[in-house]
């Protein structure tokens, strides 16, 4: 829409005239309320806030607000009919009229009352977020959920209040920033944290309030750290700690030093970070602040993990858990248990990690800490993978993905869907896995995370290949290499795909590059050896198999492939390699969750050894255990190689191929 007639500020005259016409029809009471609403800091007001602002009863206030809405001078929220706002042009009009009638409307007193209301209510809400049992909790809110809900609705207005408070010389300019600290940190609202604390800092310096200045510096440091401005954050925390030390405020000094440790760890100054953490632990312990001591111990444990001192980290996390249990801080206990579970899984103590993570998830859910809850579900899923407990892992990854979606963390949701797809694939639920990877790739593409988009596309390709959808698989692998062209794993898997589809030159190119990037990857080296053997370059292939065996001597697959290459050269050592392949794959096949790939290798090895009874046994097991077309297709292709090498036994192997093809449904 374009307006030809505008005022000196660019506002359409026709719209201004329309608002003026409505304004002239207002009663004196309605007009006063209309003008005062424009003075309220922030984008909207609740009925309770408007009641304080205009100084009338709640019933009278709601009646006037409803009347103004009917006259199209106010808007109500589509999701919350207890909140009221103005269109920008209407607000400009009302503000201009409000300034003209400021004295009659007692505008300054009204705004001051509203700011005091916001301060008092925010302080009451914050008592529910402190999590420390020795501190009183306001009964203005019945519980933590209702306090959080109020803060969620009002934080834009509270931020605006801090900014506006200086003009009215209201204490909110300094006092509201530390009150909002916990909520803003809880919701990752670091831009707002920096804004309100910067206002508080200038106000406190002007008023000569060192304690307020130290608190503002702490908030600024935390905000700067989370914006990646680490050196500024370090300076801010050091300045805050110095002030607290000068005025003898040990609790503030401990908090500032603890936060300083966070930033020092971020920039890799780990020894200094440990010193800061230890100072914080000792300061909190000296003043008997068990809550602070628990948090500082948790933080020191995280730094110790980053330094590779995981056993010491476990001790710190376990002590933090005990402290939070002792003082009844369930949210702190949940976070400490999450940290403990993470450290335990780092050193392979997986069952203990599960024992820590399971209650952590419940405690974090209880505290509405959905971000930590999502991280804990994610970690639990990864640990469950270690035990091949894929059904439980699917539940954990699904819960984590849903939480990240709720938090609008699309990148994290995408990564979690990749992990979900991996677990689904391990259970043979290929269509569900393909769906998960498709969604993951789309999400990660939206957030422009090329490395993780490549991961999703790669896993998408693996699933498509196993499902026998070869053209789609190649397209997925190629898209993955476009996103991350130097990823050795993606190149290796595309090389494997090229080999299976007979594109040997392309396979060698991908596998050579993959091995250049990751020379210690035995799987890629074995795959190259197989490609070279299929191309008739037996000596080169055996060199690759020997190199791969040096890196992973327990790979039954590599021993089998070497045995086939030796057999082609009529080298009697082939029986040694094939025997080792059978031994190694049989040992793995005795586990509770037999690997279908090992069953296939056992079938092939017994065929190569002309042990047809055993081969028949493993053929039956393979057909019964494999639900994926791609697995059968790959086994049929491997049998083609055996037919070429074992000419005298070709008919037997062709009979096996026929049974696989019948199971596949190709005939």
């Amino acid at each position: 829409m374009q307006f030809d007639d505008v005022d000196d500020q660019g506002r359409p005259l026709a719209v201004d005239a329309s608002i003026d016409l409505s304004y002239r029809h207002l009663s004196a009471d309605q007009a006063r309320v209309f003008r005062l609403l424009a003075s309220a800091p922030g984008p909207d007001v609740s009925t309770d806030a408007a009641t304080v602002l205009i100084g009338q009863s709640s019933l009278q206030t709601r009646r006037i607000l409803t009347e103004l809405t009917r006259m199209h001078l106010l808007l109500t929220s589509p999701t919350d009919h207890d909140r009221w706002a103005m269109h920008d042009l209407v607000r400009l009009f009302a503000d201009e009229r409000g300034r003209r009638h400021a004295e009659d409307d007692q505008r300054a007193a009204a705004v001051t009352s509203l700011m005091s209301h916001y301060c008092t209510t925010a302080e009451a809400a914050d008592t529910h977020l402190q999590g420390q049992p020795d501190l009183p909790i306001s009964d203005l809110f019945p519980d933590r959920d209702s306090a959080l809900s109020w803060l969620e609705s009002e934080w834009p207005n509270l931020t605006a209040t801090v900014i506006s408070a200086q003009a009215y010389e209201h204490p909110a300019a300094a006092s509201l920033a530390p009150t909002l600290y916990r909520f803003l940190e809880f919701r990752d609202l670091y831009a707002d944290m920096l804004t309100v604390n910067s206002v508080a800092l200038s106000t406190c310096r002007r008023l000569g309030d060192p304690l307020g200045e130290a608190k503002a510096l702490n908030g600024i440091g935390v905000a700067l750290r989370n914006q990646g401005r680490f050196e500024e954050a370090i300076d801010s925390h050091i300045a805050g700690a110095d002030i607290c030390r000068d005025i003898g405020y040990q609790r503030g000094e401990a908090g500032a030093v603890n936060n300083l440790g966070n930033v020092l760890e971020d920039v890799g100054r780990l020894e200094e970070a440990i010193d800061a953490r230890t100072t914080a632990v000792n300061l909190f312990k000296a003043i008997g602040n068990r809550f602070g001591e628990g948090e500082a111990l948790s933080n020191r444990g995280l730094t110790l993990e980053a330094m590779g001192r995981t056993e010491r980290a476990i001790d710190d996390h376990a002590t933090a858990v005990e402290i939070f249990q002792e003082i009844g801080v369930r949210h702190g206990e949940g976070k400490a248990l999450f940290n403990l579970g993470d450290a335990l899984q780092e050193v392979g103590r997986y069952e203990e990690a599960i024992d820590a993570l399971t209650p952590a998830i419940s405690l974090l859910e209880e505290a509405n800490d959905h971000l930590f809850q999502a991280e804990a579900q994610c970690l639990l899923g990864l640990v469950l993978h270690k035990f091949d407990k894929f059904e439980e892992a699917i539940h954990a990854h699904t819960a984590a993905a849903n939480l990240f979606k709720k938090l609008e963390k699309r990148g994290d949701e995408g990564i979690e869907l990749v992990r979900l797809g991996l677990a689904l694939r391990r259970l043979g639920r290929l269509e569900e896995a393909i769906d998960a990877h498709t969604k993951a790739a789309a999400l990660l593409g939206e957030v422009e995370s090329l490395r993780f988009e490549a991961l999703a596309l790669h896993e998408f390709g693996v699933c498509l290949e196993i499902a026998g959808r070869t053209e789609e698989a190649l397209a997925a692998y190629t898209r993955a290499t476009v996103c991350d062209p130097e990823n050795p794993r993606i190149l290796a898997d595309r090389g494997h795909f090229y080999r299976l589809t007979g594109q040997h030159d392309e396979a060698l190119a991908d596998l050579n590059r993959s091995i250049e990037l990751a020379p210690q990857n035995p799987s890629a080296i074995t795959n190259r050896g197989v490609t070279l053997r299929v191309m008739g370059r037996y000596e080169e292939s055996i060199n690759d198999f020997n190199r791969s065996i040096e890196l992973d001597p327990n790979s039954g697959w590599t021993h089998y492939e070497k045995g086939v290459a030796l057999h082609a050269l009529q080298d009697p050592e082939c029986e040694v390699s094939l025997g080792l392949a059978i031994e190694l794959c049989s040992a793995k096949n005795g586990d509770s969750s037999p690997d279908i790939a090992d069953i296939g290798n056992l079938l092939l090895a017994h065929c190569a050894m002309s042990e047809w009874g055993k081969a028949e046994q493993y053929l039956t097991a393979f057909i019964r255990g494999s639900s994926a077309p791609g697995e059968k297709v790959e086994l049929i292709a491997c049998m083609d190689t055996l037919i070429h090498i074992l000419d005298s036994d070709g008919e037997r192997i062709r009979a096996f191929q026929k049974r696989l093809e019948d199971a596949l449904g190709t005939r």
Side-chain angles (χ1 to χ4, degrees):
M1 183 180 292
Q2 183 174 355
F3 297 96
D4 294 326
D5 297 319
V6 295
D7 64 13
D8 57 357
Q9 297 184 42
R11 293 174 300 188
L13 292 175
V15 175
D16 202 57
S18 175
I19 300 169
D20 185 61
L21 182 61
S22 297
Y23 177 67
R24 290 177 184 277
H25 285 84
L26 298 178
S27 68
D29 209 15
Q30 290 171 334
R32 176 178 176 272
V33 171
F34 176 67
R35 294 190 297 265
L36 283 176
L37 287 172
S39 67
D44 65 2
V45 291
S46 66
T47 303
D48 288 344
T51 299
V52 173
L53 178 70
I54 66 179
Q56 296 190 16
S57 70
S58 178
L59 187 62
Q60 290 173 309
T61 300
R62 184 178 290 278
R63 176 180 57 79
I64 296 173
L65 294 173
T66 302
E67 291 167 351
L68 291 172
T69 303
R70 288 173 182 160
M71 299 176 74
H72 306 293
L73 293 173
L74 281 186
L75 304 169
T76 56
S77 167
T79 57
D80 185 353
H81 295 298
D82 199 41
R83 302 197 71 81
W84 315 81
M86 286 179 168
H87 188 281
D88 290 346
L89 293 176
V90 175
R91 184 163 189 151
L92 281 170
F93 180 96
D95 188 53
E96 285 182 353
R97 298 307 186 275
R99 292 178 188 279
R100 295 179 197 172
H101 295 269
E103 188 173 345
D104 293 340
D105 293 343
Q106 296 184 307
R107 181 183 174 107
V111 175
T112 298
S113 295
L114 177 59
M115 289 181 173
S116 297
H117 162 76
Y118 280 146
C119 287
T120 302
T121 314
E123 288 167 5
D126 182 55
T127 64
H128 290 268
L129 271 61
Q130 292 174 123
Q132 301 185 51
D134 57 329
L135 297 176
I137 295 177
S138 170
D139 59 5
L140 189 60
F141 294 95
D143 52 36
R144 190 173 188 272
D145 288 349
S146 58
L148 265 177
S149 177
W150 184 85
L151 287 165
E152 295 279 9
S153 298
E154 297 292 355
W155 68 261
N157 298 329
L158 298 173
T159 299
T161 295
V162 174
I163 296 168
S164 304
Q166 292 182 102
Y168 291 89
E169 297 185 353
H170 192 281
S175 66
L176 202 46
T179 301
L180 292 175
Y181 173 84
R182 269 174 283 267
F183 170 74
L184 295 174
E185 184 178 42
F186 185 60
R187 288 297 185 231
D188 293 340
L189 298 168
Y190 293 108
D192 288 87
M193 183 184 288
L194 183 58
T195 297
V196 297
N197 281 284
S198 296
V199 172
L201 180 62
S202 63
T203 302
C204 292
R205 282 176 172 169
R206 178 169 51 81
L207 297 175
D209 176 5
L211 177 57
E213 183 181 350
K215 290 180 179 180
L217 284 165
N218 181 60
I220 288 170
V222 171
L224 289 169
R225 175 205 175 203
N226 283 277
Q227 293 183 345
R229 297 162 62 180
F230 300 119
E231 293 304 323
E232 294 171 83
I234 289 171
D235 292 342
S236 188
H237 285 311
I238 290 173
D242 288 344
I243 292 172
C244 290
R245 194 177 304 110
D246 290 342
I247 63 176
Y249 182 44
Q250 283 186 298
R251 181 172 179 174
E253 182 187 356
V257 172
N258 193 29
N259 286 327
L260 173 62
N262 292 336
V263 196
L264 291 169
E265 181 178 335
D266 290 336
V267 296
R269 293 160 60 178
L270 299 181
E271 290 294 348
E272 293 174 80
I274 287 291
D275 290 342
R277 305 293 202 199
T278 303
T279 298
V281 170
N282 293 336
L283 283 167
F284 280 124
K285 189 178 292 187
I287 60 176
N289 187 324
R290 298 284 280 162
F291 179 86
E293 183 185 351
E295 286 204 321
L297 280 166
S298 284
N299 286 333
R300 189 172 69 181
L302 293 172
T303 306
L304 288 166
E305 281 184 72
M307 300 175 77
R309 304 176 190 173
T310 312
E311 292 296 342
R312 281 190 57 196
I314 289 169
D315 292 340
D316 272 358
H317 292 315
T319 305
V321 170
E322 292 172 4
I323 289 173
F324 289 125
Q325 287 175 339
E326 177 189 319
I327 62 177
V329 179
R330 294 171 65 78
H331 184 204
E333 180 188 350
K335 291 169 74 172
L337 281 166
F338 167 71
N339 291 331
L340 177 60
D342 190 18
L344 287 165
Q345 66 88 26
E346 283 288 338
V347 294
R349 294 162 63 177
Y350 298 124
E351 291 184 356
E352 293 172 83
I354 291 172
D355 290 342
L357 291 168
T358 303
I361 290 166
S362 298
L363 290 165
L364 293 165
E365 180 179 17
E366 177 187 304
N368 280 322
D369 191 341
H370 298 309
L371 179 57
F372 260 93
Q373 182 190 352
E375 297 286 358
Q377 288 280 17
C378 165
L379 184 58
L380 177 61
L382 293 173
V383 175
L384 289 166
H385 276 258
K386 306 288 187 182
F387 289 96
D388 292 344
K389 295 183 177 180
F390 296 113
E391 286 289 357
E392 294 171 64
I394 287 168
H395 175 78
H397 290 311
T398 301
N402 289 336
L403 285 165
F404 284 130
K405 183 175 183 177
K406 180 178 180 180
L407 293 167
E408 298 183 355
K409 291 187 172 291
R410 300 177 72 75
D412 291 313
E413 180 190 353
I415 293 168
E416 207 54 29
L417 286 171
V418 173
R419 291 167 176 154
L420 172 62
L422 288 169
L424 288 164
R425 172 161 67 85
R426 291 299 301 271
L427 288 179
R429 292 159 60 177
L430 285 178
E431 290 305 318
E432 293 172 82
I434 287 169
D435 182 58
H437 290 311
T438 302
K439 291 176 181 176
L443 284 168
L444 294 164
E446 286 177 19
V447 299
E448 298 182 352
S449 175
L450 289 176
R451 183 167 68 90
F452 286 111
E453 183 184 0
L455 173 64
L457 288 166
H458 166 247
E459 295 301 337
F460 181 42
V462 171
C463 290
L464 290 167
E465 182 182 340
I466 295 170
R469 294 160 61 177
T470 54
E471 290 185 7
E472 295 171 84
L474 177 58
Y477 285 138
T478 300
R479 285 173 61 200
T481 58
V482 170
C483 293
D484 193 357
E486 298 292 274
N487 186 308
R489 184 180 172 198
I490 296 172
L491 288 165
D493 279 353
R494 189 173 68 170
H496 171 261
F497 174 85
Y498 278 136
R499 172 175 67 78
L500 292 178
T501 54
Q503 301 174 72
H504 300 134
D505 291 336
E506 291 86 349
L508 272 184
D510 273 356
L511 290 164
N512 284 338
R513 183 58 183 148
S514 174
I515 294 165
E516 284 176 21
L517 293 166
Q520 305 300 310
N521 181 0
S523 176
I525 296 168
T526 296
N527 255 313
R528 186 174 67 180
V530 175
T531 306
L532 290 166
R533 190 198 68 212
V534 172
M535 297 172 74
R537 294 160 63 176
Y538 296 113
E539 295 294 344
E540 293 172 82
S541 75
I542 291 170
N543 288 337
D544 267 352
F545 296 139
N546 287 334
R547 180 178 167 193
S548 181
I549 288 167
E550 286 178 11
L551 294 167
D552 182 9
N554 296 317
S555 170
W557 169 48
T558 305
H559 283 287
Y560 162 75
E561 298 292 359
K562 178 183 175 182
V564 172
L566 291 168
H567 198 296
L569 294 174
Q570 298 183 338
D571 187 325
E573 286 295 313
C574 67
E575 293 189 7
V576 176
S577 291
L578 292 169
L580 273 170
I582 290 170
E583 180 183 334
L584 291 166
C585 291
S586 296
K588 290 178 68 178
N589 192 36
D591 293 344
S592 58
S593 301
D595 189 324
I596 197 68
D598 282 323
I599 295 175
N601 287 328
L602 283 164
L603 164 59
L604 293 167
H606 283 295
C607 285
M609 297 280 282
S610 299
E611 296 173 353
W612 302 110
K614 286 284 189 180
E616 172 74 30
Q617 174 188 334
Y618 286 112
L619 175 64
T620 302
F622 187 90
I623 292 172
R624 186 172 57 246
S626 172
S627 60
E631 293 169 345
K632 298 182 180 72
V633 169
E634 182 170 358
L635 189 57
I636 290 168
C638 291
M639 287 182 172
D640 281 335
T641 300
L642 284 181
I643 290 171
H644 175 70
I645 294 172
L646 309 174
D647 188 52
S648 61
D649 292 317
E651 287 305 314
R652 287 179 178 269
I653 297 173
R654 286 191 187 94
F656 282 3
Q657 282 183 312
K658 170 71 165 56
R659 288 175 59 185
L660 284 166
E661 288 166 350
D662 288 343
L664 185 62
T666 58
R667 292 188 180 180

